């Protein structure tokens, strides 16, 4: 324990000495005494004094003034002062001392036991106060550090988001070009071999898109931005579509994909069909990926039905390579793969199950797996869904972009810096009878609208010289009414909501993501140009 400094001030030398003698045996006390209040004040200002025993009646400065002086100085206001007095114990004296800042009294002639006990008890208080002060300072320091750490974490999160937004844009832009050109080639005369090459091209760009979507999904879920979009969903349709998709994939590998759907399950449930499909597709495609011979089976089962709610179990069972028991614990973590060498043999990023696990959590469901090395694995996902009344759903028949009616007398300005995308979009728009002028950045777009009348502008978001957002803002703030009214579609390669909101905030009428669906783009153009379709005239 640190030694505490105690000061004795009394104009009579013998009093100082006797007090010193009285307190000499108290542990951890460093005693200093003086008959001069001025000298004692100076000592208190310069030393870290904890307690002062102050005589009330002194010629130079009386005890009350002495305490007031200590109180008024930031260096000494914390000193605990005990007044030592022989004068009357009348209340007015007591109060005067207490008002000037003293915390207690000792009366002459001093009772040795009481004096020592009081000093010891105040020493205890000083220790507690100092400890409190130290803890407070520690708290303040860690508070400051916490604020700093939070700021740094926010900054890191922001730069991660920016990085993802940029990366998603940079990667999606060329993929958009590739998928667009693939669609164009599909609609041109091809021989069998060329069709097959196109299949490879399509598969490769789809895988690339899946990886980038996985990374974005994971970051979206981790930043708490992923929301489930519940709507009436046909369970048999989801199962059928998964069957169609994976039967072919399994056959290509020489294995079988089986579906066992529980007919007791309701036809329609309230679900986010996209995310539910994503969970099941991930499990099934893993099953197919890690199975060399045998089968993969998707089984649905009604576990319980209660008050318009159904507890459903989806299980995906395969006869594949299996997973060792210690690997089973970590496969649901990001970037974790079961065994060393899995990437070399099967490829993959280790993100699929991490996303599945998070999506299952978002659904407030449970997922677990059991597996035997060399024999196969089973992934079981259980979740409650609301049951929905069944009625006939209209069948959608998907159109090819080349089957769409021509749009008459529509002139579009396309601002896009990527040559491949520009070529592809121009080709599609031309197919729909649209006249297209192309520019490479926002600045050129502004120049172009000066002397040509357009029915619509397609504006890429990220372009050099002047971005699409800046160009949209400039058009929306133009003094000419006809310019301000031109419909603008922002083409954004980012799937981040923030970027889409920024496009709307700048003044875009619609936002189209990359890679875009040509039929959707056609519908938006048709709506924004008031459906100038030749066929409908
Ligand atoms: P990826 O398949 O891209 O590596 P996942 O997160 O989907 O990433 O899977 C993580 C790991 O779990 C895989 O690398 C694999 O080791 C193991 N795994 C997942 N599903 C199966 C399965 N059906 N059979 C065997 N191993 C599996």
């Amino acid at each position: 324990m640190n030694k505490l400094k105690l000061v004795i001030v009394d104009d009579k030398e013998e009093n100082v000495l006797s007090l010193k003698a009285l307190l000499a045996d108290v542990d951890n006390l460093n005693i200093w005494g003086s008959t001069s209040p001025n000298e004692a004040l100076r000592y208190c200002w310069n030393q870290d004094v904890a307690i002062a025993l102050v005589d009330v009646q002194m010629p130079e400065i009386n005890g009350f003034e002495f305490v007031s002086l200590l109180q008024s100085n930031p260096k000494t206001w914390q000193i605990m002062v005990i007044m030592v007095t022989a004068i009357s114990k009348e209340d007015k004296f007591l109060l005067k001392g207490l008002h000037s800042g003293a915390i207690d009294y000792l009366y002459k002639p001093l009772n040795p036991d009481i004096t020592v006990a009081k000093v010891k008890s105040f020493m205890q208080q000083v220790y507690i106060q100092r400890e409190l002060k130290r803890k407070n300072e520690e708290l303040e320091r860690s508070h400051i550090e916490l604020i700093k750490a939070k700021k740094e974490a926010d900054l890191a999160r922001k730069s991660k988001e920016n990085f993802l937004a940029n990366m998603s844009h940079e990667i999606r832009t060329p993929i958009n070009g590739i998928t667009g050109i693939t669609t164009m080639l599909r609609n041109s005369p091809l021989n069998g071999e060329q069709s097959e090459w196109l299949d490879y091209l399509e598969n490769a760009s789809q895988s690339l898109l899946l990886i980038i979507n996985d990374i974005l999904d994971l970051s979206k879920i981790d930043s708490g931005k992923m929301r489930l979009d519940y709507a009436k969903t046909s369970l048999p349709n989801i199962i059928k579509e998964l069957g169609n998709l994976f039967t072919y994939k399994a056959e290509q590998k020489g294995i079988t994909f089986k579906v066992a759907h529980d007919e007791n399950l309701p036809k329609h449930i309230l679900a986010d069909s996209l995310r539910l499909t994503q969970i099941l597709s991930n499990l099934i495609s893993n099953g197919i990926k890690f199975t060399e011979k045998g089968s993969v089976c998707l089984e649905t089962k009604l576990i319980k039905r209660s008050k318009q709610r159904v507890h459903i179990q989806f299980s995906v069972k395969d006869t594949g390579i299996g997973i060792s028991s210690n690997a089973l614990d970590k496969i649901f973590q990001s970037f974790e793969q079961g065994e060393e060498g899995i990437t070399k043999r099967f490829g993959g990023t280790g993100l699929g199950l991490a996303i599945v696990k998070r999506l299952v959590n978002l659904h407030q469901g449970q997922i677990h797996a059991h597996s035997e090395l060399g024999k196969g694995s089973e992934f079981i996902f259980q979740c409650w869904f609301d049951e929905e009344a069944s009625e006939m759903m209209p069948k959608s028949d998907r159109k090819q972009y080349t089957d769409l009616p021509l749009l008459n007398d529509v002139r579009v300005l396309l601002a896009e810096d990527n040559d491949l995308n520009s070529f592809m979009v121009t080709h599609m728009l031309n197919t729909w009878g649209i006249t297209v002028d192309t520019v490479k950045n926002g600045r050129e777009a502004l120049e172009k609208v000066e002397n040509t009348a357009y029915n619509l502008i397609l504006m890429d978001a990220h372009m050099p010289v002047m971005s699409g957002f800046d160009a949209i803002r400039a058009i929306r703030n133009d003094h000419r009414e006809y310019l301000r009214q031109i419909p603008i579609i922002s083409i954004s390669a980012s799937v981040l909501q923030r970027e889409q909101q920024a496009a709307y905030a700048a003044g875009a009428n619609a936002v189209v993501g990359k890679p875009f669906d040509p039929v959707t783009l056609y519908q938006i153009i048709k709506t924004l140009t008031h459906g100038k379709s030749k066929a409908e005239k």
Side-chain angles (χ1 to χ4, degrees):
M1 232 182 254
N2 281 342
K3 276 200 165 188
L4 296 180
K5 285 201 173 101
L6 179 139
V7 164
I8 300 167
V9 202
D10 196 311
D11 57 328
K12 294 196 179 67
E13 181 81 36
E14 61 270 27
N15 286 346
V16 175
L17 290 175
S18 68
L19 255 173
K20 268 190 180 175
L22 199 64
L23 299 172
D25 290 339
V26 178
D27 287 339
N28 296 317
L29 203 56
N30 206 330
I31 305 170
W32 180 91
S34 171
T35 51
S36 155
N38 279 322
E39 191 191 14
L41 271 177
R42 270 196 299 279
Y43 183 83
C44 288
W45 288 332
N46 294 325
Q47 303 288 327
D48 181 22
V49 175
I51 302 171
L53 298 181
V54 182
D55 183 24
V56 172
Q57 286 169 305
M58 293 183 289
E60 278 173 56
I61 306 171
N62 75 35
F64 303 130
E65 287 161 348
F66 184 88
V67 181
S68 297
L69 286 168
L70 287 184
Q71 281 289 305
S72 59
N73 192 317
K75 279 188 189 166
T76 52
W77 71 269
Q78 270 182 319
I79 297 176
M80 288 192 169
V81 180
I82 306 171
M83 304 292 253
V84 184
T85 179
I87 54 173
S88 122
K89 295 179 188 175
E90 273 179 37
D91 284 353
K92 63 174 184 180
F93 281 104
L94 293 178
L95 280 173
K96 195 171 177 189
L98 293 174
H99 279 149
S100 54
I103 54 163
D104 208 347
Y105 275 92
L106 281 170
Y107 300 104
K108 291 178 188 170
L110 294 172
N111 175 321
D113 291 339
I114 290 183
T115 307
V116 170
K118 277 202 174 169
V119 167
K120 278 186 175 170
S121 124
F122 286 121
M123 282 174 73
Q124 211 52 45
Q125 277 195 38
V126 172
Y127 282 129
I128 292 170
Q129 266 179 15
R130 291 192 173 179
E131 182 61 12
L132 264 174
K133 195 172 160 219
R134 198 184 58 78
K135 284 264 188 300
N136 253 336
E137 282 167 358
E138 220 173 75
L139 261 175
E140 237 159 69
R141 262 199 310 277
S142 52
H143 184 65
I144 291 169
E145 270 164 27
L146 261 177
I147 292 176
K148 202 172 136 222
K150 186 174 175 300
K151 265 194 189 147
E152 279 169 7
D154 281 348
L155 256 168
R157 190 178 47 74
K158 278 226 173 76
S159 66
K160 182 178 147 199
E161 267 194 12
N162 280 342
F163 169 74
L164 280 173
N166 288 339
M167 189 184 71
S168 98
H169 183 268
E170 291 307 317
I171 299 179
R172 276 165 177 273
T173 300
I175 301 179
N176 189 40
I178 297 169
T179 51
I181 300 286
T182 315
T183 316
M184 280 158 56
L185 283 174
R186 274 255 179 261
N187 286 284
S188 67
L190 294 172
N191 65 32
E193 196 181 27
Q194 286 168 329
S195 272
E196 203 179 314
W197 293 347
L198 218 51
D199 288 342
Y200 289 130
L201 191 61
E202 221 160 47
N203 277 342
S205 47
Q206 278 309 316
S207 319
L208 201 55
L209 203 57
L210 284 180
I211 294 174
I212 177 101
N213 283 347
D214 273 359
I215 295 174
L216 286 166
D217 275 353
L218 200 66
S219 113
K220 207 168 164 188
I221 300 175
D222 285 349
S223 61
K225 287 188 183 147
M226 171 84 78
R227 300 268 173 277
L228 292 180
D229 196 1
Y230 283 99
K232 184 172 177 170
T233 303
S234 159
L235 204 51
N237 271 4
I238 289 191
I239 304 296
K240 202 171 119 204
E241 272 169 27
L242 288 169
N244 289 344
L245 180 67
F246 288 107
T247 306
Y248 174 68
K249 288 209 165 146
E251 270 169 14
Q252 279 183 317
K253 255 195 106 175
I255 57 174
T256 49
F257 177 59
K258 295 183 270 186
V259 175
H261 183 53
D262 186 344
E263 294 301 333
N264 293 319
L265 279 168
K267 294 269 175 299
H268 291 103
I269 55 170
L270 201 62
D272 183 329
S273 60
L274 179 75
R275 300 302 169 190
L276 179 58
T277 310
Q278 189 176 0
I279 294 173
L280 298 174
S281 317
N282 258 311
L283 297 179
I284 301 167
S285 63
N286 270 351
I288 295 177
K289 179 169 155 187
F290 295 108
T291 304
E292 309 283 10
K293 58 177 190 292
S295 63
V296 177
C297 180
L298 165 68
E299 193 181 326
T300 59
K301 200 161 96 188
L302 174 66
I303 306 175
K304 202 173 173 187
R305 194 177 223 137
S306 157
K307 294 184 195 140
Q308 293 296 303
R309 303 207 78 208
V310 276
H311 196 198
I312 307 180
Q313 171 171 301
F314 300 89
S315 84
V316 178
K317 197 172 180 178
D318 64 59
T319 57
I321 60 168
I323 308 162
S324 68
S325 52
N326 44 356
L328 258 183
D329 297 334
K330 47 176 199 168
I331 53 173
F332 288 103
Q333 295 163 21
S334 315
F335 307 108
E336 281 292 349
Q337 299 192 310
E339 304 291 332
E340 294 281 318
I342 285 279
T343 325
K344 270 195 203 133
R345 227 174 114 198
F346 297 95
T349 52
L351 285 177
L353 289 179
I355 294 170
V356 165
K357 174 82 181 170
R358 284 162 170 81
L359 287 176
V360 168
N361 287 346
L362 269 182
H363 277 88
Q364 289 169 357
Q366 278 93 36
I367 187 157
H368 65 274
H370 35 86
S371 181
E372 208 176 322
L373 215 50
K375 293 222 164 126
S377 319
E378 183 173 16
F379 285 80
I380 295 168
F381 158 47
Q382 297 174 331
C383 187
W384 281 93
F385 292 93
D386 284 341
E387 205 172 319
E388 283 279 292
S390 289
E391 64 202 43
M392 292 297 282
M393 302 259 269
K395 256 191 170 178
S396 71
D397 50 309
R398 271 211 78 62
K399 283 197 169 130
Q400 290 290 323
Y401 82 92
T402 39
D403 301 337
L404 300 166
L406 293 183
L407 293 169
N408 199 20
D409 301 331
V410 176
R411 191 178 193 107
V412 167
L413 175 63
L414 169 66
E416 163 68 90
D417 60 317
N418 184 287
D419 287 337
L420 185 57
N421 277 333
S422 183
F423 166 73
M424 180 203 50
V425 177
T426 307
H427 171 87
M428 280 178 186
L429 298 189
N430 287 341
T431 314
W432 304 326
I434 297 174
T435 313
V436 187
D437 291 336
T438 55
V439 289
K440 286 190 174 300
N441 61 55
R443 166 84 40 230
E444 288 179 9
L446 293 184
E447 284 162 14
K448 200 80 182 156
V449 293
E450 281 300 318
N451 36 35
T452 317
Y454 291 105
N455 303 98
L456 183 127
I457 302 173
L458 272 169
M459 189 83 81
D460 186 30
H462 298 261
M463 289 183 288
V465 185
M466 183 190 256
S467 79
F469 295 159
D470 285 343
I472 298 176
R473 267 189 288 273
I475 293 171
R476 291 293 180 244
N477 290 321
D478 197 274
H479 63 281
R480 287 157 294 183
E481 168 81 16
Y482 74 92
L483 265 187
R484 289 202 302 271
Q485 297 300 334
I486 300 181
I488 304 178
I489 301 175
S490 167
I491 313 175
S492 167
S494 168
V495 287
L496 295 185
Q497 224 178 5
R498 190 160 51 86
E499 186 143 331
Q500 303 197 357
Q501 280 163 355
Y504 284 116
N509 300 78
V511 180
V512 170
K514 283 182 193 172
F516 56 76
D517 169 34
V519 181
T520 312
L521 179 66
Y522 173 90
Q523 293 297 355
I524 298 174
I525 295 179
K526 191 174 157 190
T527 311
L528 290 177
T529 55
H530 308 297
K532 293 182 176 181
S533 157
K534 247 185 193 162
E536 286 172 11
K537 265 197 147 186

